[in-house]
Amino acid sequence: MSDDLVGIVGESFRQDALMRLLAAHPDRACLVKLIAEPDNPVDPNAIKVVSADDDAMLGYISRAEAVGFHAAVDALGANTRYCAKLWGGTDDKPSVGLWFDAGPLRQWR
């Protein structure tokens, strides 16, 4: 996995899905898919992050990052899988978070 990791937002609302993902991937490495949501009523540039295992909603790319990634996500398609890394889910940090490798999106241009 590259050093080009981008965190997602909204994980606090998706802890059940993230805990299931962590249980399925104890090594903390997993795959995710990115899906553009042009009809999102809050942000037409929204890009949701879902598990490649079961399409469970995990969160969103931040608004600031989504604007720059939107064209690449559209071009690469919703079935493209991205390497991701889970963090947390420990006694010290009970909630689970997720970073994904944005290298392919940055290189798409």
Side-chain angles (χ1 to χ4, degrees):
M1 188 175 309
S2 83
D3 293 328
D4 204 4
L5 297 177
V6 171
I8 66 169
V9 298
E11 303 107 321
S12 63
F13 300 105
R14 310 286 186 243
Q15 286 299 296
D16 288 345
L18 286 161
M19 290 287 191
R20 284 193 312 272
L21 194 59
L22 181 58
H25 300 276
D27 63 352
R28 299 180 175 271
C30 61
L31 296 173
V32 297
K33 297 187 288 186
L34 307 177
I35 302 171
E37 287 189 331
D39 296 328
N40 185 302
V42 177
D43 181 4
N45 290 311
I47 300 172
K48 70 179 175 178
V49 181
V50 300
S51 167
D53 289 0
D54 60 4
D55 289 332
M57 172 71 158
L58 303 174
Y60 283 89
I61 296 177
S62 73
R63 280 185 188 209
E65 294 279 6
V67 170
F69 292 153
H70 215 272
V73 168
D74 283 343
L76 295 171
N79 287 321
T80 300
R81 286 158 170 72
Y82 301 86
C83 295
K85 181 90 172 156
L86 295 155
W87 57 271
T90 64
D91 290 340
D92 294 341
K93 175 71 171 130
S95 62
V96 178
L98 180 80
W99 293 300
F100 77 95
D101 183 359
L105 296 174
R106 296 191 199 284
Q107 294 169 9
W108 174 79
R109 300 174 206 215

